[in-house]
Amino acid sequence: MTTAAKIKSHMSSKGQVVIPKSLRDAKGLGAGSEVEFVDHPEGVLMRLPERKKKYSLEDLLNVLPPYKGPPVTDRMIEEGIDAAMQERWERKERNSRS
């Protein structure tokens, strides 16, 4: 689809406008996609917000320095998660009583 293509759509009684399938496909839009509406001298501009760069797991892991502590087992990780969840639940309970 070229950028000069003009496609018409109609507004429903609820103010909803259907974005034609060819445009949705070309722009990668699906249910839940965010769009912005901008008041413009020539009308209303609908645009896609700037997409955040997707990082790979390798990119994210390279941000952290290598772990230099003692070996950690799966069981130790599970116990740490359980303890953190218990602490969070207790904190939430205390706050709800306040």
Side-chain angles (χ1 to χ4, degrees):
M1 168 148 302
T2 65
T3 57
K6 292 183 182 179
I7 302 173
K8 291 185 179 181
S9 187
H10 292 85
M11 184 180 299
S12 74
S13 60
K14 294 182 179 181
Q16 298 167 328
V17 177
V18 173
I19 301 170
K21 183 168 180 9
S22 58
L23 286 173
R24 293 192 314 262
D25 291 346
K27 298 297 181 182
L29 298 172
S33 293
E34 187 176 320
V35 295
E36 298 174 337
F37 294 93
V38 180
D39 191 11
H40 189 272
E42 294 184 36
V44 177
L45 170 67
M46 183 190 89
R47 69 178 178 199
L48 304 177
E50 193 173 308
R51 291 187 179 181
K52 294 179 179 149
K53 181 182 175 192
K54 292 185 179 180
Y55 294 96
S56 70
L57 180 58
E58 185 177 321
D59 292 334
L60 297 174
L61 291 175
N62 289 332
V63 170
L64 300 172
Y67 178 71
K68 294 181 181 176
V72 178
T73 65
D74 289 348
R75 183 69 195 137
M76 292 165 73
I77 293 170
E78 290 172 4
E79 288 171 354
I81 292 170
D82 290 344
M85 292 301 294
Q86 180 69 28
E87 180 183 322
R88 182 176 179 183
W89 181 82
E90 289 170 356
R91 187 172 52 244
K92 190 174 180 180
E93 284 293 307
R94 281 194 305 271
N95 291 340
S96 68
R97 292 184 208 141
S98 304

